[in-house]
Amino acid sequence: MLTILAAGSVFFPGLFLLSKQCLRSIPALRWSEGDAVIVSARLVSSIQAVMASSAGYIIASSCEDILEDQHWLTSSYIMFAVPYFVYDIYAMFMCYWYKLRVKGHEEASAAPQHMRKALVSYLRREFLMVLHHVVMVTACFPVSVFWRQGKGDYFQGVLFMAELSTPWVCLGKILIQYKQQHTLLHKVNGALMLVTFFICRVLLFPYLYYAYGRYASIPFHLVPLSVPWHCNLGAALLMAPQLYWFSLICRGAVRLFTGSSRSQRPGAAKERQDAPPQPANGYSTCASEPELATH
């Protein structure tokens, strides 16, 4: 178990460093440090998402009895993926810091006092995402590995497949970074992100209740009354941020497909240049920004 945890602790940061080094050193690319960091972070997130979704599909498809059947990959992948959430907090901060540097903010200085200001600003701006990652490590990890006692691997596999939406989110943020909002690729990616996020992260939770109700021969509307209260609480706490992020994505999609009046104003470009950097996780809370909120 500790070996798998150690492997994850090496794999995700190592992949990030390798990707960053390649993007900076390959002659045909020669990207700046900031661009390499931001794209590498998105790449690692996408790879983790593909791995998690693949593991989830294997687990869910192998469980005939959705409550009692077990698959070795369930606990193994959880142990492997836990370090990712710790690494990703750091990676998101690095993305945020480099965006500050591009915009010339004082906090982007490498001086310790300015780094502290940048860190405080990052934690304030990314509070929900950082909290999500901390909860995944401190609560979801022990519950999934130890408290379940081997039951419900099917449900855990389905939860893994929530990551299917992440690659589209990451691609959207990269396209925004390179100012490709006007392209057909960005619009197609935005539509795919909206659909996959809704299916994989919003409809996911009603589906879990439906699957258990079918298994236990309980009407769907009575399932919440039939399962332990802590299961309902856990599902509600996990679903709440997904609904919030989905609302931001919907707002971004409306701006993307209908246009933004602000983007037509003469001073719009200057306003966007002076605005604070978008959240490193990409779920923009700024309703007037004419871009699709991503990552």
Side-chain angles (χ1 to χ4, degrees):
M1 184 175 290
L2 291 179
T3 303
I4 298 174
L5 191 65
S9 301
V10 172
F11 178 78
F12 294 110
L15 182 60
F16 171 77
L17 294 174
L18 177 62
S19 173
K20 185 183 74 169
Q21 185 62 32
C22 289
L23 291 174
R24 294 197 65 200
S25 60
I26 293 177
L29 297 176
R30 296 289 187 182
W31 285 8
S32 68
E33 176 82 9
D35 285 346
V37 164
I38 293 170
V39 173
S40 295
R42 308 299 177 196
L43 177 63
V44 174
S45 294
S46 298
I47 291 175
Q48 192 282 140
V50 171
M51 293 172 65
S53 302
S54 301
Y57 175 78
I58 293 170
I59 294 165
S61 61
S62 69
C63 294
E64 296 183 3
D65 187 312
I66 65 173
L67 197 61
E68 300 294 338
D69 283 359
Q70 298 181 18
H71 195 287
W72 65 269
L73 192 55
T74 308
S75 295
S76 296
Y77 190 77
I78 292 172
M79 294 292 297
F80 181 75
V82 161
Y84 164 79
F85 292 98
V86 179
Y87 141 82
D88 198 45
I89 293 175
Y90 165 79
M92 287 192 299
F93 171 69
M94 293 303 297
C95 292
Y96 182 79
W97 189 60
Y98 276 107
K99 288 177 183 178
L100 287 176
R101 294 185 66 179
V102 169
K103 291 182 176 291
H105 288 251
E106 185 183 57
E107 304 97 294
S109 168
Q113 65 270 25
H114 292 155
M115 285 291 287
R116 284 195 295 270
K117 288 181 181 179
L119 180 60
V120 171
S121 175
Y122 159 73
L123 291 175
R124 183 169 57 247
R125 194 173 183 84
E126 302 286 353
F127 175 77
L128 185 58
M129 182 62 75
V130 172
L131 178 63
H132 169 271
H133 281 31
V134 170
V135 169
M136 292 296 291
V137 174
T138 60
C140 294
F141 163 61
V143 166
S144 298
V145 174
F146 304 110
W147 183 80
R148 287 189 311 114
Q149 298 180 342
K151 292 184 180 295
D153 278 17
Y154 172 83
F155 297 103
Q156 191 68 59
V158 173
L159 286 170
F160 284 165
M161 288 191 284
E163 292 291 336
L164 272 171
S165 63
T166 299
W168 310 113
V169 173
C170 293
L171 176 58
K173 196 59 181 176
I174 292 173
L175 291 173
I176 289 172
Q177 178 185 345
Y178 288 99
K179 298 179 175 58
Q180 299 298 307
Q181 297 96 315
H182 62 283
T183 62
L184 177 61
L185 175 60
H186 182 65
K187 289 181 171 60
V188 171
N189 181 77
L192 288 172
M193 183 182 68
L194 186 67
V195 171
T196 56
F197 198 98
F198 178 68
I199 294 174
C200 299
R201 292 182 179 264
V202 177
L203 288 185
L204 168 73
F205 295 94
Y207 171 76
L208 294 177
Y209 280 82
Y210 166 76
Y212 180 78
R214 187 176 60 177
Y215 170 81
S217 300
I218 300 171
F220 175 75
H221 66 281
L222 294 179
V223 173
L225 303 177
S226 306
V227 300
W229 66 270
H230 46 265
C231 293
N232 290 322
L233 177 62
L237 292 176
L238 289 174
M239 187 176 184
Q242 311 304 329
L243 290 174
Y244 171 69
W245 288 323
F246 182 67
S247 71
L248 298 182
I249 291 174
C250 288
R251 286 164 53 187
V254 170
R255 294 195 301 274
L256 175 66
F257 291 107
T258 64
S260 171
S261 60
R262 177 187 173 189
S263 63
Q264 306 300 322
R265 299 207 313 267
K270 181 65 167 65
E271 289 175 19
R272 287 195 295 271
Q273 183 178 357
D274 294 338
Q278 289 297 301
N281 61 35
Y283 297 119
S284 173
T285 57
C286 182
S288 58
E289 225 9 83
E291 60 186 40
L292 185 61
T294 52
H295 180 78

